[in-house]
Every structure is written in C-alpha cells, then in structure tokens.
Amino acid sequence: MSKLWQKTTNVNELVENFTVGRDREFDEQMAAFDVLGSLAHTRMLQSIGLMDTADLDLVQRELKAIYADIEKDGFTIDDGVEDVHSQVELLLTQRIGDAGKKIHSGRSRNDQVLVDLKLFFRHQLQQVVEETTTLFNQLIELSEKHKDVLLPGYTHLQVAMPSSFGLWFGAYAESLADDLELVLAAYRITNKNPLGSAAGYGSSFPLNRTLTTQLLGFDSLNYNVVYAQMGRGKTERIIAQALSSIAATLAKMAMDQALYLSQNFAFVSYPDTLTTGSSIMPHKKNPDVWEIMRGKCNRLQALPTDVTMMTTNLPSGYHRELQLLKELLFPAFTELKSCLHMATFMLQNITVNTGILNDPKYAYLFSVEEVNRMVLNGTPFRDAYKQIGLAIEQGDFNPDKTVNHTHEGSIGNLGNGQITASFNKLLANFDFKKVEQAIMELVK
C-alpha cells in the first residue's frame, strides 16, 4: 500500500524498515488520541466551510465507531499501512468513501503527530499523578500510624540521632509532593494545543485553532506555529525531568527498604509471599521487588539525558529522529507507573519493628539528647558536649532514652497535615475534570 506522502516509486525495503522502526508498535498506543484529534479537527473544518454538514455527520459517526473499537482493543495497524493516521484515514475511506479523504485538510502529519502526542502524554501524566497520589496517601497513613515508633537515624552510614517511622514515611510523602511540582509544570507545558501549525508554518485556510483547543480540553494554544513544532522534543525533555524526579524518590526509598529488611538492620519485615529465597540458603528473605524497583528507577533517572542527547543541536523544524523519542518516553511511563503501584502494594504489607532501640548499640543515638538536656539546665553547649563525649569514651554513658522534639517537622510534630494540604493544593491545579468532560463531549 502506498504512503500518504508517496507519489509514484516505492521506497527501498531496507530504507523502509530502518526508518519506520518500532513506529507502528507505539502508534497503536496513540490510536484513541488520533481519533480524538480528528473529531475536533473535522468539527472545526465544518465551522469554516471546508466540510459540509452531511460529510461531517458521516465522518463523526465513523470516527466514534473507530474510537469505540479502540476502547475494546479492536484496533490494529494493518501490514503495509505506515502509521496510525494512515490507518484511521484508510478505515474512514473504506467505510464512507470520499468524505473520509477530507479530514486531512488544513493539517499536516506533523501537527497531527504533535496533537496525538500531547493528548497521549496528558493522559499518561494523569495516570502518573493518580498513582503518585495513592502512594502519597499510603505514606501519610503509615507515618501517622507509626509516628511514635523510633528508629535510628544515620549520617555517613553511622548511627547518628533518633528518628522515627513517622519521619521516615512522611519524608518520602513530602518528597513526592515536591516531585508533583515538576509533574504539574510538565502537564502545563503538555496541555497546549499545537493543532493547526501544520508542517510548522501554518495554513492558508482560515483555521479556528481556538475551537479545537476548546474541543480537546487544552488549557491554551501553542500560538506560534514554528514554536509548536519546536515543542516536540522540548515537551518530552520536560516530561522526562518530571518522571525522573519521581523515580529518584522511589529509588532512594527502595534502597532504604533493601537495607532495612536485612538482618543487620531488621527494621521492617514483609510476608514471605512478597520476598524471595535462595536456592542454597534456607534463611534468605530477599527484597527483590525493591531491588528491581531501584534498578528501574535508576535507569529512569537517565531519561532526561537520553532525550536531551536525541534533540541537542537540532535546528527548528521537523526532523525524523524525533520519532525515536517515543521509544524513550512510552516505556518510561509504563515503568514508572508500575513502580509506583508496586511501592504502594509493598507498603500496604509492611510490618515495622517497634523495639529497635532496645539494642545497646543504639545507646549513642541519644548523645545529642543528653547534651541538649544539660544545655536546658544551664550548662554552656561546649561544656555539655565535652562532658558527654568523655562519658562515652570512658564507658559511663547511660542516656535517658526519651525524646522531646516539638518543632515543626520533628519527631513530635511531623507536619503531615501541612504536607497533605500542600499536596492537595497541587492536585487541584491539574483540573483533570475539565479534560475528561471535553473528551466525553467529543465522543458522545
């Protein structure tokens, strides 16, 4: 079958295979969004007189039928069909004839791909936010539940000062709140409409780009048509930064969990069904889930560099290697959502050790507490520090193992309410309901 852009001669098969690569595989993931873009675009064409009402009714009916098929996993790109755009147009033409050939007026594959990607990324970012929210809530719940259970804090991997499970769980919740700031920035950059930029230089048709923006639930336009095309690569880079930030939080948490589960720490435990064993050591309970998560999330932290290197020094305009960005971003969304989901699942089944500090090796955790008690009783800090240090050296250190931390964000005042309020304030800025309502109106 010929390509949309092809006039006469066929492309060499070797060239065809090399340049197409995995495009069809990833394009199938964009099929629903391609149809949404066409539903909005054809309504706009009718509004400016480039499609009559009868043709619009035919096109809208069949596009909605194709959308329903996609939702039921009944869509594939046929052999010999170049991409998802070609497949949708082919189906329309087969079903309704010439009316199906009119849907491409006023747009190029360039802005068609752009709007598909923006809609796809927007949807994926929403799913990332939803998984992040579930994990955040789980962490806050555990922080409150175990706020009075102490555990050792470490610096330089040396026993340092008292911490608590309330602090540990809450720390990762607040980290996710900061990560969500970057996701919100990525979402806002993504949620702008490039449709109508055509091949990057606009169209002589009197397109109504504001209408398609409203129909697709975008917040605003990518106004400058050259910049709309330049946004491909930039959007992916910003998204990659957001995903890598969440991945960094998960990787650190996974590392902590791998340590805490080891016999040397024994701070937490999990049911046997969530750990693995050894083929020769019967006692082993390996944290494979956390280790795999650590590896995947460390790999995800390279994503911004991969995207940057793919797009560095490209001039304005479209370039074919931009399609390779799909090979980076599409699997990254899948991996990160999987890691977020598994982190929540594991933490739903965690058991914390409530007697960790009974071990004598943690006595020195309370050295600062003893210094502070002396200071509160009038001893100058330097003198108190020296006295406690000498007691430790001489083996005479017998601390009071109670803590009295009251300032904001400390053991006795976690600030979970404020952290949750900050997170929820960020969530409200995404306005997913507006997008969902727009899509429902398009396909009803």
Side-chain angles (χ1 to χ4, degrees):
M1 176 178 178
S2 63
K3 312 297 185 291
L4 293 178
W5 49 267
Q6 194 169 314
K7 281 51 167 203
T8 53
T9 56
N10 291 325
V11 175
N12 179 281
E13 184 178 357
L14 190 62
V15 171
E16 164 85 1
N17 292 336
F18 183 77
T19 55
V20 171
R22 300 175 65 189
D23 243 17
R24 293 187 186 91
E25 171 190 343
F26 294 118
D27 269 18
E28 288 189 359
Q29 296 182 48
M30 294 199 299
F33 306 103
D34 189 75
V35 173
L36 291 175
S38 292
L39 282 167
H41 182 69
T42 51
R43 284 177 61 175
M44 185 275 295
L45 290 179
Q46 189 270 341
S47 75
I48 62 171
L50 285 181
M51 182 176 286
D52 62 38
T53 302
D55 282 346
L56 178 66
D57 289 344
L58 279 174
V59 167
Q60 290 277 312
R61 184 194 70 205
E62 290 306 323
L63 283 173
K64 291 173 184 178
I66 294 169
Y67 186 85
D69 288 341
I70 294 167
E71 293 290 285
K72 294 182 290 188
D73 295 323
F75 179 92
T76 56
I77 298 174
D78 296 338
D79 292 340
V81 176
E82 188 174 17
D83 52 33
V84 64
H85 329 296
S86 307
Q87 182 67 41
V88 171
E89 190 169 328
L90 173 65
L91 290 173
L92 278 176
T93 305
Q94 288 174 341
R95 295 178 185 184
I96 61 176
D98 286 347
K101 300 177 182 179
K102 299 179 180 180
I103 69 169
H104 202 58
S105 301
R107 65 180 179 181
S108 164
R109 278 203 309 175
N110 293 51
D111 66 338
Q112 195 172 356
V113 172
L114 272 170
V115 79
D116 287 6
L117 285 170
K118 291 264 195 163
L119 294 171
F120 174 81
F121 290 151
R122 185 176 70 181
H123 179 70
Q124 291 292 317
L125 286 170
Q126 178 174 348
Q127 292 185 334
V128 167
V129 170
E130 289 167 352
E131 290 285 0
T132 301
T133 301
T134 301
L135 177 56
F136 174 88
N137 290 333
Q138 180 65 40
L139 287 164
I140 290 293
E141 179 185 324
L142 288 168
S143 178
E144 287 295 318
K145 180 179 180 180
H146 302 295
K147 62 184 178 182
D148 297 323
V149 181
L150 298 182
L151 80 160
Y154 287 78
T155 63
H156 307 275
L157 284 179
Q158 306 294 306
V159 172
M161 292 177 63
S163 181
S164 71
F165 280 104
L167 279 178
W168 188 88
F169 289 118
Y172 283 104
E174 188 170 1
S175 183
L176 288 176
D178 273 354
D179 295 335
L180 202 65
E181 296 269 14
L182 295 180
V183 179
L184 178 59
Y187 187 83
R188 284 174 167 163
I189 296 294
T190 299
N191 202 24
K192 295 181 180 181
N193 183 20
L195 192 58
S197 60
Y201 305 100
S203 172
S204 57
F205 291 126
L207 304 178
N208 185 345
R209 299 187 64 209
T210 298
L211 177 58
T212 56
T213 298
Q214 294 168 347
L215 290 172
L216 290 167
F218 285 115
D219 283 339
S220 63
L221 281 156
N222 285 131
Y223 285 97
N224 186 294
V225 292
V226 172
Y227 177 65
Q229 292 297 321
M230 286 167 56
R232 190 168 182 190
K234 181 174 183 177
T235 301
E236 285 89 337
R237 187 169 67 250
I238 294 167
I239 290 172
Q241 291 285 357
L243 300 188
S244 72
S245 185
I246 296 175
T249 295
L250 293 180
K252 186 179 289 290
M253 182 166 69
M255 181 64 203
D256 278 358
Q257 285 294 286
L259 283 175
Y260 290 0
L261 188 60
S262 73
Q263 293 92 335
N264 299 76
F265 287 81
F267 293 171
V268 301
S269 61
Y270 290 94
D272 289 347
T273 55
L274 304 187
T275 59
T276 63
S278 163
S279 62
I280 63 171
M281 294 173 282
H283 66 283
K284 294 293 291 296
K285 288 184 66 171
N286 298 323
D288 284 16
V289 169
W290 293 113
E291 290 173 339
I292 292 293
M293 188 182 304
R294 181 177 61 198
K296 288 186 173 186
C297 288
N298 285 341
R299 185 169 60 191
L300 283 169
Q301 290 179 76
L303 186 63
T305 302
D306 287 344
V307 173
T308 298
M309 294 310 297
M310 193 80 74
T311 57
T312 292
N313 295 332
L314 289 183
S316 60
Y318 174 74
H319 310 279
R320 187 67 183 269
E321 64 262 48
L322 290 170
Q323 77 180 48
L324 299 176
L325 293 174
K326 288 185 282 189
E327 296 183 17
L328 301 176
L329 266 293
F330 283 43
F333 277 114
T334 301
E335 291 279 40
L336 184 60
K337 289 186 294 182
S338 172
C339 288
L340 285 164
H341 184 77
M342 285 305 299
T344 300
F345 173 71
M346 291 297 287
L347 292 177
Q348 287 170 344
N349 293 278
I350 194 172
T351 299
V352 306
N353 182 347
T354 59
I356 300 169
L357 300 193
N358 294 331
D359 192 315
K361 69 172 173 281
Y362 295 124
Y364 295 155
L365 277 174
F366 298 91
S367 64
V368 177
E369 305 298 311
E370 290 299 311
V371 169
N372 290 348
R373 284 191 184 93
M374 293 180 67
V375 170
L376 288 170
N377 288 324
T379 304
F381 176 82
R382 290 301 173 195
D383 292 342
Y385 178 92
K386 186 174 181 180
Q387 288 179 41
I388 295 301
L390 286 173
I392 290 171
E393 289 179 7
Q394 295 168 2
D396 297 329
F397 181 63
N398 295 300
D400 178 352
K401 294 184 178 182
T402 59
V403 294
N404 185 32
H405 296 189
T406 59
H407 68 74
E408 301 94 326
S410 64
I411 292 173
N413 185 5
L414 296 173
N416 286 338
Q418 292 88 337
I419 294 169
T420 301
S422 174
F423 188 90
N424 289 337
K425 184 178 179 180
L426 281 169
L427 272 183
N429 286 319
F430 285 91
D431 200 10
F432 294 136
K433 288 184 179 178
K434 171 192 167 185
V435 171
E436 291 166 356
Q437 184 62 38
I439 301 307
M440 285 176 60
E441 288 294 322
L442 264 185
V443 300
K444 71 178 183 180

